[in-house]
């Protein structure tokens, strides 16, 4: 190496050094520090997992709220509460997608982590009230929980700045997949923790459909997760650094002149939009059709989808994302047809086994598609635009919980799952034409 060549970044930037890594280029081995990149990934992933926990905490609690004495939530009101985090999650992603180049990774993560403590504390408090508070307060807390969905569009593009393109498929799949585990974590933890007393606090009386009375401690999940939120905030403050990727809002909006921004938006709505929407409504679907006893299985869909997203990241790095997006669309369509078949052919009540099999398969193929699309976007777009496209597509797909809550509130289940099957199949054709077929204009 020439004596005038720069020293490796790790030597020039001590671990306790500057808040901004001015001399940073992941594509240049001498200007990329893998230790900094991976520590950034793990801290942001912890905070992203907690973000998904708070985003889906109302969805895990709401099915039980209507059973409390002194509370009177109709099924329609419950679906509206489930819809609110999806509404604000999508809207806030449109804001957070702009923040990484404006604020930098560290300041954005610290701000986001601090704000998320508010809905954690709010949901731990409101469920302890002896009678139902104003419905407006519940709506406000549900809207606040949407912050957990909004930050995704800042965290993921920011992480992409720290890794070379050859590693972004694996890095982003790990972050998004482990972050998505927050959905299954909250859906698994809530039914368990609400069943016993913690910290000597009083519980709430619940009345089942058959008149059976029991005691629930619905404040426990918020109290359990709140200390983890504080840890995430401290780690963001002490560990994270920012990289000098800077652009103003006008520069970031140039992604909308590229047709592939819109194609990838349609495809990501198929994968994450359906994943998030079905995960948010899964508990209500199970309770209203198969009884409250089946809620112990609600975590399974998001767990399988998140695991698939992690496992397929390296495969997408090796084989490209386009072909796996096609597989995702075909698989989701076939799985939705299975659920639809179970709904239409059942004598009386649909089969729980058929319903669960179809649903878990939808989540599985959605997880594959979430990994593949996040491999495609950094490949199709230059680095600065890729972050913006990731943020934009994620913002639109985050409306999934709102759209599916409204769909199940006003449409029949066969109509909804028929729409899922048709949309996913159309997306598979789209992905094949633009990204997977021989000679495609943007093979990825």
């Amino acid at each position: 190496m020439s004596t005038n060549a720069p020293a490796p970044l790790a030597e020039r930037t001590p671990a306790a050094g500057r808040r901004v890594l001015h001399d940073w280029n992941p594509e240049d081995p001498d200007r990329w520090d893998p230790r900094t990149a991976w520590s950034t990934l793990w801290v942001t992933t912890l905070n992203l997992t907690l973000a998904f926990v708070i985003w889906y905490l109302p969805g895990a609690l709401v099915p039980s709220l209507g059973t409390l004495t002194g509370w009177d939530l109709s099924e329609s009101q419950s679906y509206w509460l489930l819809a609110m985090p999806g509404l604000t999650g999508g809207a806030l992603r449109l804001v957070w997608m702009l923040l990484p180049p404006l604020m930098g990774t560290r300041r954005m993560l610290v701000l986001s982590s601090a704000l998320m403590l508010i809905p954690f504390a709010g949901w731990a408090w409101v469920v302890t009230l002896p009678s139902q508070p104003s419905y407006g307060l519940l709506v406000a807390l549900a809207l606040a929980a949407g912050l957990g969905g909004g930050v995704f569009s800042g965290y993921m593009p920011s992480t992409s700045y720290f890794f070379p393109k050859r590693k972004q498929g694996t890095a982003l799949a790990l972050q998004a997949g482990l972050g998505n585990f927050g959905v299954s974590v909250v859906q698994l933890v809530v039914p368990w923790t609400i069943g016993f007393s913690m910290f000597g606090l009083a519980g709430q009386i619940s009345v089942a459909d058959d008149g059976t009375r029991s005691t629930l401690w619905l404040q426990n999940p918020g109290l359990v997760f709140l200390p983890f939120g504080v840890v995430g905030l401290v780690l963001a403050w002490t560990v994270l650094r920012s990289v000098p990727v800077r652009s103003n809002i006008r520069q970031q909006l140039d992604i909308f002149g590229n047709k592939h921004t819109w194609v990838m938006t349609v495809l990501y709505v198929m994968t994450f939009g359906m994943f998030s929407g079905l995960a948010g409504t899964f508990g209500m679907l199970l309770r209203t059709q198969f009884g409250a006893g089946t809620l112990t299985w609600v975590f399974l869909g998001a767990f399988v989808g998140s695991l698939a997203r992690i496992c397929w990241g390296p495969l997408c790095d090796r084989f490209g994302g386009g072909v796996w997006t096609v597989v995702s669309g075909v698989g989701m369509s076939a799985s939705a047809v299975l659920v639809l078949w179970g709904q239409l052919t059942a004598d009386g009540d649909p089969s729980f086994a058929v319903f669960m099999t179809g649903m878990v398969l939808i989540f599985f193929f959605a997880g594959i598609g979430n990994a593949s699309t996040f491999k495609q976007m950094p490949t199709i777009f230059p680095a600065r635009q890729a972050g913006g496209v990731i943020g934009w597509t994620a913002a639109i797909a985050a409306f999934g919980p709102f759209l599916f809550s409204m769909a199940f509130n006003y449409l029949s289940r066969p109509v909804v799952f028929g729409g899922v099957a048709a949309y996913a199949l159309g997306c598979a054709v789209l992905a094949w034409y633009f990204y997977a077929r021989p000679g495609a204009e943007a093979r990825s």
Side-chain angles (χ1 to χ4, degrees), residues 134-183:
S134 70
Y135 187 66
L137 176 59
L138 294 176
V139 170
L141 285 173
L143 289 170
L147 174 68
V151 301
F152 182 94
S153 282
Y155 288 17
M156 296 295 290
S158 177
T159 298
S160 72
Y161 300 156
F162 284 85
F163 288 88
K165 285 190 175 184
R166 70 182 186 278
K167 293 182 178 291
Q168 285 186 10
T170 298
L172 295 180
L174 280 171
Q175 182 172 39
L178 292 173
N180 288 168
F181 269 128
V183 183

Side-chain angles (χ1 to χ4, degrees), residues 55-284:
W55 196 20
Y56 283 86
L57 182 60
L61 290 174
V62 164
S64 298
L65 293 183
T67 69
L68 299 182
T69 57
W71 291 59
D72 184 24
L73 284 178
S74 68
E75 185 175 324
S76 179
Q77 286 178 315
S78 296
Y79 272 120
W80 272 101
L81 287 178
L82 295 178
M84 293 301 99
L87 186 62
T88 48
L92 289 175
R93 284 190 179 191
L94 296 173
V95 177
W96 253 256
M97 64 175 280
L98 302 173
L99 296 186
L102 297 176
M103 297 184 66
T105 299
R106 181 175 177 272
R107 286 196 295 172
M108 180 191 65
L109 261 292
V110 169
L111 172 65
S112 304
S113 302
L115 289 175
M116 282 192 294
L117 298 179
I118 298 173
F120 271 127
W123 278 101
W125 161 72
V126 75
V127 295
T128 64
L129 300 178
S131 59
Q132 181 177 320
S134 70
Y135 187 66
L137 176 59
L138 294 176
V139 170
L141 285 173
L143 289 170
L147 174 68
V151 301
F152 182 94
S153 282
Y155 288 17
M156 296 295 290
S158 177
T159 298
S160 72
Y161 300 156
F162 284 85
F163 288 88
K165 285 190 175 184
R166 70 182 186 278
K167 293 182 178 291
Q168 285 186 10
T170 298
L172 295 180
L174 280 171
Q175 182 172 39
L178 292 173
N180 288 168
F181 269 128
V183 183
S184 54
V185 166
V186 73
Q187 291 175 337
L188 179 63
V189 167
V190 167
W192 171 59
T193 57
I194 66 176
F196 57 88
S197 175
M198 295 176 62
F199 314 114
L201 299 176
Q204 302 85 44
I205 304 300
S206 171
V207 181
D209 294 337
D210 61 2
T212 304
R213 297 169 68 87
S214 59
T215 302
L216 302 177
W217 287 267
L218 295 178
Q219 70 270 27
N220 285 355
L223 296 176
V224 166
F225 289 120
L226 190 58
F228 289 97
V230 174
V231 170
L233 172 61
V234 171
L235 288 175
W237 176 267
T238 57
V239 174
L240 294 183
R241 303 289 182 265
S242 298
V243 296
V245 176
R246 291 286 183 264
S247 61
N248 58 39
I249 293 178
R250 177 178 295 180
Q251 289 172 325
Q252 294 186 61
L253 296 182
D254 66 358
I255 62 173
F256 299 116
N258 190 326
K259 70 178 179 183
H260 292 290
T261 298
W262 304 103
V263 177
M264 291 307 303
T265 300
V266 172
L267 296 180
Y268 198 59
V269 166
M270 173 190 71
T271 60
F272 186 74
M274 291 184 180
F275 173 91
S276 62
L278 290 173
T281 54
F282 201 12
M284 281 295 292

Side-chain angles (χ1 to χ4, degrees), residues 19 21 33 123 337 407 411:
R19 298 298 189 190
L21 303 173
D33 179 11
W123 278 101
V337 168
L411 301 174

Side-chain angles (χ1 to χ4, degrees), residues 152 165 168 172 260-261 264-265 267-268 271 309 321 369-383 385-394 435 444:
F152 182 94
K165 285 190 175 184
Q168 285 186 10
L172 295 180
H260 292 290
T261 298
M264 291 307 303
T265 300
L267 296 180
Y268 198 59
T271 60
R309 186 169 195 166
N370 285 329
S372 64
T373 50
F374 264 66
K375 171 61 179 178
Q376 288 182 265
M377 285 182 273
T379 303
I380 296 169
F381 301 93
Q385 284 193 330
V389 174
I390 289 172
W392 163 258
T393 58
Y435 306 117
S444 54

